[in-house]
Amino acid sequence: AADSATGIAAIVGRLGRSLSRSASLPDVQARFDAALEELKASLPDIGRRGSGDDLSLAGYIGIDPVKVREHIKCRELIPQGKAAYEAGRTEKAEDCFRKAAENGCPKGWYLFGCLYRDEGLRDDALDALEKAVSQGVQEAAEPLALLLYDAAHARQELGDHQAAFASFTRSAELGNRESQYALGMYYGSPQSYPGCNVRQNFARAVEWTLSAARQ
């Protein structure tokens, strides 16, 4: 019984720490999703280690009215930025998207990144889109993967195969099929890419090539 109680206490402690980390995420929906996933993963285990009965969960949500108003305001910046961009007021759009992003609306990073991409500012676009993806904006994955593929291809043509491989890898993980195929080539025939520092691995070559083929 003592061992069981200790095990349950450890799981509950882990659950509490994870939920606390989720509270630090900038977007309300991202916090909710993170907390929900942790509950789904932890509560069944707690039930098995205890009496096996159904579980009840009690908690509280702290709401700061000032932060709520700031969050609503930053979300309002998104349509304002879109309208400015459509009107050709790029600087205004950039300002709106940046302020939205910096004040807790991850979609601002996505739109900010797309704006920079359209202006040809690749490095700034990559940075903004990476932030959007890391904060749960799924629609940012595709443009980010495309930019990474373009960057990898450019580095490959310059003979910088180590950097190209790193960018292909990140792009492939985000679902880009051309990058997945490129990884298959690197793993299958690394000797064709001097300085790539990749060991030949036919299993990985087949894995990535199949991923590309399925698309």
Side-chain angles (χ1 to χ4, degrees):
D3 289 342
S4 176
T6 301
I8 293 172
I11 295 171
V12 173
R14 186 192 72 194
L15 174 62
R17 288 190 297 273
S18 181
L19 296 181
S20 295
R21 284 194 298 272
S22 74
S24 67
L25 294 172
D27 185 66
V28 172
Q29 187 62 48
R31 286 186 236 166
F32 176 83
D33 292 341
L36 184 60
E37 288 305 311
E38 187 61 37
L39 290 174
K40 287 180 179 179
S42 299
L43 290 183
D45 195 23
I46 295 174
R48 284 192 297 272
R49 293 181 183 232
S51 64
D53 294 336
D54 291 338
L55 295 168
S56 296
L57 178 69
Y60 71 91
I61 299 174
I63 298 177
D64 183 337
V66 174
K67 290 184 177 180
V68 170
R69 285 195 294 270
E70 289 177 352
H71 188 73
I72 293 173
K73 183 179 179 180
C74 82
R75 292 184 71 89
E76 291 174 347
L77 289 168
I78 297 297
Q80 292 175 19
K82 288 181 178 179
Y85 184 73
E86 290 172 0
R89 300 166 61 201
T90 305
E91 290 186 5
K92 174 65 176 178
E94 179 183 327
D95 184 57
C96 288
F97 295 150
R98 180 187 286 277
K99 284 181 178 177
E102 292 176 345
N103 286 281
C105 185
K107 193 169 183 179
W109 288 124
Y110 163 61
L111 294 167
F112 193 57
C114 290
L115 187 150
Y116 269 156
R117 176 201 59 190
D118 294 344
E119 292 185 342
L121 302 172
R122 189 182 68 190
D123 290 342
D124 291 319
L126 283 168
D127 182 59
L129 290 171
E130 278 283 13
K131 289 178 180 177
V133 168
S134 70
Q135 294 179 28
V137 184
Q138 295 301 317
E139 58 195 312
E142 183 176 357
L144 175 58
L146 285 170
L147 281 174
L148 286 165
Y149 170 77
D150 290 341
H153 187 64
R155 287 166 179 159
Q156 189 180 56
E157 289 189 332
L158 292 172
D160 187 357
H161 293 295
Q162 186 172 4
F165 179 79
S167 292
F168 277 136
T169 299
R170 177 65 177 135
S171 177
E173 291 169 348
L174 291 166
N176 182 269
R177 63 187 180 185
E178 287 82 4
S179 292
Q180 291 171 351
Y181 176 70
L183 284 188
M185 298 296 290
Y186 271 90
Y187 279 116
S189 184
Q191 63 272 19
S192 300
Y193 307 101
C196 67
N197 291 333
V198 178
R199 289 187 177 183
Q200 192 167 53
N201 187 325
F202 289 125
R204 297 300 301 276
V206 171
E207 176 187 347
W208 283 116
T209 304
L210 282 175
S211 293
R214 290 189 185 103
Q215 297 195 62

